[in-house]
Amino acid sequence: MADDKEVTEKEMENAKTEEKDEDTANDGPGTPRSGQKTPTKSVGSPSPSRKSNGSKPVSPTPSSKSGGRASRVSDKSVAKSRQGSSKMKRIEGSSKSRSSGEAETKPDAGTITDYAVFPTAEDGLPEGGVPFFMTSKTQEIVQCRADEDVTADKPFKLVKKQDILDDMMTRAGVSDFTPLKKEINSYPGDEILIGLDADFVFGQNYILILSEETKNVMLTPPVVEGEGSEAAADGDKEVEDDTVYDYVPPEPKEWISQGSEMEIEEEAVQETRRRIQMSIRRVRREFGAPISFSDRNVADAKDGYVECLPFEDKTFDLKRLELDKSIQAIPEFRESTTQTSWKYPRRVNTQYYPREFTEEEKKDLESSEQLQNFIEGVTPRFELALQQNEIVDVFYDDWINLGDGDDTFGSKADNHLKEYQSFTDLQFSKDKTVTHIEWHPVIKGVVAVSVGQRMSFDDKIDHAAKVIMTPSLILIWSFTDPIHPQLLLEAPDDILCFKFSASDSNILAGGCRNGQVVLWDITAHVDRLKQPRGGNRNKRSNVLPGFEDENAFKTPIIRYCAVSGIEHSHKAPITDIIWLPDHFEVNRMGVPAENRQLTSCQLMTCAADYCILFWDTRAPKSSQATEDKGPKNPLGVTQPFKHLDLTWKPMLKVTLHKSEPGGDHSPTKFTIQERQGDRSALSTSEGLERENSNTGSGGGYSYNKPGSAKEKRTLNSVKTHFYVGTEDGELVYVDWMPQKDQDTGKVQTPKPDYYHSLHDGPIISLQRSPFFKDIILCVGGWTFTLWKEGVSSGPILHSAASSVRLSAAQWSPSRPAVFYIARMDGSVDVWDLLDKTHEPSLNQNVSSAAITDIYPFQVSQKQHLLGVGDSSGTLHIMEIPWSLKHPTTNELTGMTNYLEREVKRRAFVVQRWDFREQEKRELEQEQKRKMGIAPQVQLTDEEVEMRLKAEYQQYVEDESNFLRALGLKDDTEELIPESA
């Protein structure tokens, strides 16, 4: 005891000496002074300061990072109180390693001497600390909100490293931690210390401690000498400085019921009556039959009419004071009508008698001086008004025609294309070229893009291994997520063209570089395209923590459901593909017939292998028995087009023969006159009969077998002639219906009606105007032409050669006189034929790379977008300005007059050609007559036939003489009688 008292007295003296020194010296910001209450902060929740026996507050001991935190104290009273609570266990010798003779140095000014004290500008930024700005959204994600989770008094908090990595993975470039991605990934610990810089000492609102040593120092600062002396001055029993206490967690106790579970059970709703069971059956012969609803008389059934009175029923006397009722948060359906309230008609009339002057009053008024003065005063103004009416139409409404001057192209301020958004993927579209663009026909803000390898044929052979390992995909983008594609459609080879089905937007067909035709079905992933993707949607979900779907934010890769057989496919890359409209179909002889199911089920494709193929997606009749006997799908998953996979072959082949010998035409693009939705080929009576006889789905996609040809009527109004663009820059007009050749007797495609070779390069675009079915825009090489179906002498408009090669073209969906042409230098030309015909009205650069495809799309009446794809794999979405999406006054009529004028001009040119030819022949005959040469005599048809017969007889005789001279024919040979 004597030794203990001596030690206590020494500690009290040391404490007084240090307190005196602290009052006189300039200590650091983290050094506590005597009698000053030191703030104490913990990771997540503050630790209250404890007082000893009601005396001066004592700084609490810092706790370590581990779960059972050991506290090193020099205050004997605190240690004794903790030991008396039976929650601490004394461990001897844990800190005995420190030598008794080791000198303890006082911490310098920059050292943080208390737990979680934020450094000042004089202390400087801690080692490994990085100042960064964290938005309120990121603060909510990592649960480190300013003035809530962390404050100026409690500025630090430990955040799990995995939460930060998940935030960077989910939000990518939007995340505030992305600039420090490399340092965070290399951080060895599982938790990162984040501090609130409330006063912006280091320039940002937070600092991030990326050093494990600095974090440990800040969480476990060195013990300041003198704490034990202040505690010893209170008269408590001494505890050695080397003592370490181990925290023993409390043990759970057995649950003691207080009766609360009975109240919960009483409040729960329980079923007290037996549930009603109902069984509905149907006759087996009616399975699959369509359901028809009809009206019935109210008096025929007992429950046919239920009266709902609009006023309170006075006879109802049952009162209920309390009512227990459960509700569900579901939408309520209401049926209401808006109509003028009907009132009982009444006969009402009003009669009045006019007030008239008498004859005497009239004479007095006419002779009065006042009236004469009035007439003389208003006469000049009246005459002026009459003159103005003769000169100017006073009833002309200037307000309606006020915008006529602004309707012309280029008068608006926003007459240029604005970039709305861009899509690119570093993994799937980098170093590739965009081959085709298609907007989703139903879901707004969704666009599909096919990408291919940007290599020549020789490069593909040299890098064959890399090309084979690289997947060929179609990327479907959504405006809700500009970073990641929503869907990926896998293909066996690069897709050069694809189309959405005309009757079912979930079905896609594409043409591969190797000549195969591919079909996809995205029905199972349509909800992903309709719903936005992001962190907000995940927060609103009711998924329990730990059971989240890891693949919810991964882009699904959809495999094709059918591909054509390689032996029956094209022998060259497919360059164009279309779905036939749903109101007609083509049989094996090329005859168009009505489509009773009203579903688009046939395709047309073309390639440079001199042919155009027709494909049917329905199962042939021969495969019906095979499918019935085949194994059923045990999971019940639909497998559309499974009957076509690897066995699909075309039903009709159209070969483009040339009129003269020397090979066939190599098609690259084609266009037909029939359009989706234009059912003018079907009469009204045919439509009614088809609706009565149709038992199919009517709106969705049909996988049924094709019906019998006898039940389908031929549509003679469907035009089977169509235009084809070739690799040689030719425009061919041919009939796809095969005919019997008179020379060979074979049934084959007839020769083209005509073709013209005007372009100096392959035809890369062949588009029909959305406003005129017979106007075709043809682009190839460095020029473009306008053609009118029915005018076979040539184009009605031929442009001058451009300085840069053209790459794509599309008509405007809203303006009849406007179309867009893309160029290889990355710019887009906008042509307005009512404004200029010799040069584009607008030229704007869109990309630094060559443009490969463009596609304008009308999202709404107020917003039109233009999709532009380049050779670097980027899809640019441009917003079309006001002047390009709103037609001018009478623009359709003006364009119609322009086309008619050009057709007349073309007819006049042909007439002048014929006149010059006739004039040339007459001059030649006049010249021959002067030279004494007899003029050529025009022979009749009989004379021509006789001359041909004589030439043939002469040919037979010459042949006989030639064979006789060779000894191959003997004249003495007896003729075999015809009867034998």
Side-chain angles (χ1 to χ4, degrees), residues 115-132:
Y115 171 69
V117 175
F118 197 84
T120 61
E122 298 176 358
D123 301 335
L125 188 66
E127 183 180 358
V130 179
F132 79 109

PDB file of all heavy atoms in Angstrom, residues 115-132:
ATOM      1  N   TYR A 115      -9.167  10.496 -31.123  1.00  0.00           N
ATOM      2  CA  TYR A 115      -9.801   9.608 -32.112  1.00  0.00           C
ATOM      3  C   TYR A 115     -10.614  10.413 -33.116  1.00  0.00           C
ATOM      4  O   TYR A 115     -11.488  11.193 -32.761  1.00  0.00           O
ATOM      5  CB  TYR A 115     -10.711   8.616 -31.391  1.00  0.00           C
ATOM      6  CG  TYR A 115     -11.553   7.827 -32.324  1.00  0.00           C
ATOM      7  CD1 TYR A 115     -10.987   6.888 -33.166  1.00  0.00           C
ATOM      8  CD2 TYR A 115     -12.934   8.027 -32.387  1.00  0.00           C
ATOM      9  CE1 TYR A 115     -11.755   6.155 -34.018  1.00  0.00           C
ATOM     10  CE2 TYR A 115     -13.710   7.303 -33.243  1.00  0.00           C
ATOM     11  CZ  TYR A 115     -13.121   6.366 -34.071  1.00  0.00           C
ATOM     12  OH  TYR A 115     -13.884   5.625 -34.930  1.00  0.00           O
ATOM     13  N   ALA A 116     -10.318  10.239 -34.420  1.00  0.00           N
ATOM     14  CA  ALA A 116     -11.094  10.792 -35.538  1.00  0.00           C
ATOM     15  C   ALA A 116     -11.203  12.302 -35.450  1.00  0.00           C
ATOM     16  O   ALA A 116     -12.273  12.863 -35.552  1.00  0.00           O
ATOM     17  CB  ALA A 116     -12.468  10.161 -35.606  1.00  0.00           C
ATOM     18  N   VAL A 117     -10.114  12.992 -35.205  1.00  0.00           N
ATOM     19  CA  VAL A 117     -10.119  14.454 -35.253  1.00  0.00           C
ATOM     20  C   VAL A 117      -9.675  14.871 -36.653  1.00  0.00           C
ATOM     21  O   VAL A 117      -8.638  14.426 -37.124  1.00  0.00           O
ATOM     22  CB  VAL A 117      -9.173  15.043 -34.194  1.00  0.00           C
ATOM     23  CG1 VAL A 117      -9.096  16.556 -34.339  1.00  0.00           C
ATOM     24  CG2 VAL A 117      -9.675  14.681 -32.812  1.00  0.00           C
ATOM     25  N   PHE A 118     -10.450  15.704 -37.328  1.00  0.00           N
ATOM     26  CA  PHE A 118     -10.160  16.080 -38.707  1.00  0.00           C
ATOM     27  C   PHE A 118      -8.938  16.996 -38.735  1.00  0.00           C
ATOM     28  O   PHE A 118      -8.847  17.953 -37.948  1.00  0.00           O
ATOM     29  CB  PHE A 118     -11.361  16.792 -39.332  1.00  0.00           C
ATOM     30  CG  PHE A 118     -11.290  16.844 -40.809  1.00  0.00           C
ATOM     31  CD1 PHE A 118     -11.731  15.775 -41.580  1.00  0.00           C
ATOM     32  CD2 PHE A 118     -10.762  17.953 -41.457  1.00  0.00           C
ATOM     33  CE1 PHE A 118     -11.668  15.821 -42.940  1.00  0.00           C
ATOM     34  CE2 PHE A 118     -10.686  17.993 -42.826  1.00  0.00           C
ATOM     35  CZ  PHE A 118     -11.145  16.917 -43.571  1.00  0.00           C
ATOM     36  N   PRO A 119      -7.962  16.729 -39.614  1.00  0.00           N
ATOM     37  CA  PRO A 119      -6.742  17.552 -39.664  1.00  0.00           C
ATOM     38  C   PRO A 119      -7.056  18.946 -40.184  1.00  0.00           C
ATOM     39  O   PRO A 119      -8.016  19.163 -40.919  1.00  0.00           O
ATOM     40  CB  PRO A 119      -5.836  16.787 -40.632  1.00  0.00           C
ATOM     41  CG  PRO A 119      -6.775  15.991 -41.466  1.00  0.00           C
ATOM     42  CD  PRO A 119      -7.923  15.631 -40.579  1.00  0.00           C
ATOM     43  N   THR A 120      -6.219  19.879 -39.788  1.00  0.00           N
ATOM     44  CA  THR A 120      -6.374  21.262 -40.220  1.00  0.00           C
ATOM     45  C   THR A 120      -5.415  21.547 -41.361  1.00  0.00           C
ATOM     46  O   THR A 120      -4.638  20.682 -41.767  1.00  0.00           O
ATOM     47  CB  THR A 120      -6.100  22.213 -39.045  1.00  0.00           C
ATOM     48  OG1 THR A 120      -4.743  22.022 -38.602  1.00  0.00           O
ATOM     49  CG2 THR A 120      -7.049  21.937 -37.900  1.00  0.00           C
ATOM     50  N   ALA A 121      -5.486  22.786 -41.887  1.00  0.00           N
ATOM     51  CA  ALA A 121      -4.600  23.172 -42.989  1.00  0.00           C
ATOM     52  C   ALA A 121      -3.145  23.215 -42.538  1.00  0.00           C
ATOM     53  O   ALA A 121      -2.232  22.938 -43.322  1.00  0.00           O
ATOM     54  CB  ALA A 121      -5.033  24.532 -43.540  1.00  0.00           C
ATOM     55  N   GLU A 122      -2.908  23.541 -41.223  1.00  0.00           N
ATOM     56  CA  GLU A 122      -1.535  23.548 -40.713  1.00  0.00           C
ATOM     57  C   GLU A 122      -0.983  22.131 -40.636  1.00  0.00           C
ATOM     58  O   GLU A 122       0.196  21.901 -40.861  1.00  0.00           O
ATOM     59  CB  GLU A 122      -1.505  24.221 -39.347  1.00  0.00           C
ATOM     60  CG  GLU A 122      -1.951  25.690 -39.377  1.00  0.00           C
ATOM     61  CD  GLU A 122      -1.988  26.280 -37.976  1.00  0.00           C
ATOM     62  OE1 GLU A 122      -1.706  25.507 -37.028  1.00  0.00           O
ATOM     63  OE2 GLU A 122      -2.275  27.484 -37.839  1.00  0.00           O
ATOM     64  N   ASP A 123      -1.869  21.164 -40.296  1.00  0.00           N
ATOM     65  CA  ASP A 123      -1.397  19.763 -40.230  1.00  0.00           C
ATOM     66  C   ASP A 123      -1.055  19.222 -41.608  1.00  0.00           C
ATOM     67  O   ASP A 123      -0.180  18.369 -41.746  1.00  0.00           O
ATOM     68  CB  ASP A 123      -2.481  18.882 -39.596  1.00  0.00           C
ATOM     69  CG  ASP A 123      -2.820  19.355 -38.196  1.00  0.00           C
ATOM     70  OD1 ASP A 123      -1.948  19.999 -37.577  1.00  0.00           O
ATOM     71  OD2 ASP A 123      -3.947  19.085 -37.735  1.00  0.00           O
ATOM     72  N   GLY A 124      -1.767  19.720 -42.615  1.00  0.00           N
ATOM     73  CA  GLY A 124      -1.526  19.208 -43.949  1.00  0.00           C
ATOM     74  C   GLY A 124      -2.347  17.954 -44.216  1.00  0.00           C
ATOM     75  O   GLY A 124      -2.930  17.334 -43.322  1.00  0.00           O
ATOM     76  N   LEU A 125      -2.432  17.595 -45.478  1.00  0.00           N
ATOM     77  CA  LEU A 125      -3.185  16.406 -45.893  1.00  0.00           C
ATOM     78  C   LEU A 125      -2.470  15.150 -45.414  1.00  0.00           C
ATOM     79  O   LEU A 125      -1.262  15.002 -45.622  1.00  0.00           O
ATOM     80  CB  LEU A 125      -3.331  16.389 -47.421  1.00  0.00           C
ATOM     81  CG  LEU A 125      -4.255  15.327 -47.996  1.00  0.00           C
ATOM     82  CD1 LEU A 125      -5.707  15.599 -47.580  1.00  0.00           C
ATOM     83  CD2 LEU A 125      -4.158  15.301 -49.518  1.00  0.00           C
ATOM     84  N   PRO A 126      -3.181  14.235 -44.706  1.00  0.00           N
ATOM     85  CA  PRO A 126      -2.514  13.013 -44.223  1.00  0.00           C
ATOM     86  C   PRO A 126      -1.945  12.198 -45.371  1.00  0.00           C
ATOM     87  O   PRO A 126      -2.404  12.286 -46.520  1.00  0.00           O
ATOM     88  CB  PRO A 126      -3.643  12.265 -43.494  1.00  0.00           C
ATOM     89  CG  PRO A 126      -4.683  13.293 -43.219  1.00  0.00           C
ATOM     90  CD  PRO A 126      -4.594  14.299 -44.287  1.00  0.00           C
ATOM     91  N   GLU A 127      -0.981  11.381 -45.049  1.00  0.00           N
ATOM     92  CA  GLU A 127      -0.358  10.518 -46.068  1.00  0.00           C
ATOM     93  C   GLU A 127      -1.395   9.512 -46.585  1.00  0.00           C
ATOM     94  O   GLU A 127      -2.051   8.834 -45.805  1.00  0.00           O
ATOM     95  CB  GLU A 127       0.851   9.801 -45.475  1.00  0.00           C
ATOM     96  CG  GLU A 127       1.593   8.948 -46.511  1.00  0.00           C
ATOM     97  CD  GLU A 127       2.793   8.252 -45.902  1.00  0.00           C
ATOM     98  OE1 GLU A 127       3.051   8.475 -44.691  1.00  0.00           O
ATOM     99  OE2 GLU A 127       3.467   7.500 -46.618  1.00  0.00           O
ATOM    100  N   GLY A 128      -1.502   9.440 -47.895  1.00  0.00           N
ATOM    101  CA  GLY A 128      -2.501   8.543 -48.490  1.00  0.00           C
ATOM    102  C   GLY A 128      -3.873   9.163 -48.614  1.00  0.00           C
ATOM    103  O   GLY A 128      -4.792   8.505 -49.125  1.00  0.00           O
ATOM    104  N   GLY A 129      -4.070  10.393 -48.153  1.00  0.00           N
ATOM    105  CA  GLY A 129      -5.374  11.049 -48.257  1.00  0.00           C
ATOM    106  C   GLY A 129      -5.541  11.730 -49.603  1.00  0.00           C
ATOM    107  O   GLY A 129      -4.619  12.338 -50.112  1.00  0.00           O
ATOM    108  N   VAL A 130      -6.741  11.609 -50.146  1.00  0.00           N
ATOM    109  CA  VAL A 130      -7.050  12.196 -51.454  1.00  0.00           C
ATOM    110  C   VAL A 130      -8.328  12.995 -51.312  1.00  0.00           C
ATOM    111  O   VAL A 130      -9.373  12.425 -50.950  1.00  0.00           O
ATOM    112  CB  VAL A 130      -7.219  11.104 -52.533  1.00  0.00           C
ATOM    113  CG1 VAL A 130      -7.565  11.745 -53.876  1.00  0.00           C
ATOM    114  CG2 VAL A 130      -5.955  10.281 -52.650  1.00  0.00           C
ATOM    115  N   PRO A 131      -8.300  14.313 -51.564  1.00  0.00           N
ATOM    116  CA  PRO A 131      -9.561  15.086 -51.535  1.00  0.00           C
ATOM    117  C   PRO A 131     -10.385  14.803 -52.786  1.00  0.00           C
ATOM    118  O   PRO A 131      -9.850  14.729 -53.895  1.00  0.00           O
ATOM    119  CB  PRO A 131      -9.085  16.539 -51.495  1.00  0.00           C
ATOM    120  CG  PRO A 131      -7.719  16.504 -52.088  1.00  0.00           C
ATOM    121  CD  PRO A 131      -7.128  15.178 -51.771  1.00  0.00           C
ATOM    122  N   PHE A 132     -11.672  14.605 -52.644  1.00  0.00           N
ATOM    123  CA  PHE A 132     -12.541  14.362 -53.800  1.00  0.00           C
ATOM    124  C   PHE A 132     -13.936  14.865 -53.462  1.00  0.00           C
ATOM    125  O   PHE A 132     -14.298  15.028 -52.298  1.00  0.00           O
ATOM    126  CB  PHE A 132     -12.568  12.875 -54.168  1.00  0.00           C
ATOM    127  CG  PHE A 132     -13.457  12.031 -53.300  1.00  0.00           C
ATOM    128  CD1 PHE A 132     -14.648  11.503 -53.790  1.00  0.00           C
ATOM    129  CD2 PHE A 132     -13.108  11.760 -51.985  1.00  0.00           C
ATOM    130  CE1 PHE A 132     -15.458  10.743 -52.993  1.00  0.00           C
ATOM    131  CE2 PHE A 132     -13.908  10.980 -51.185  1.00  0.00           C
ATOM    132  CZ  PHE A 132     -15.112  10.472 -51.699  1.00  0.00           C
TER     133      PHE A 132
END
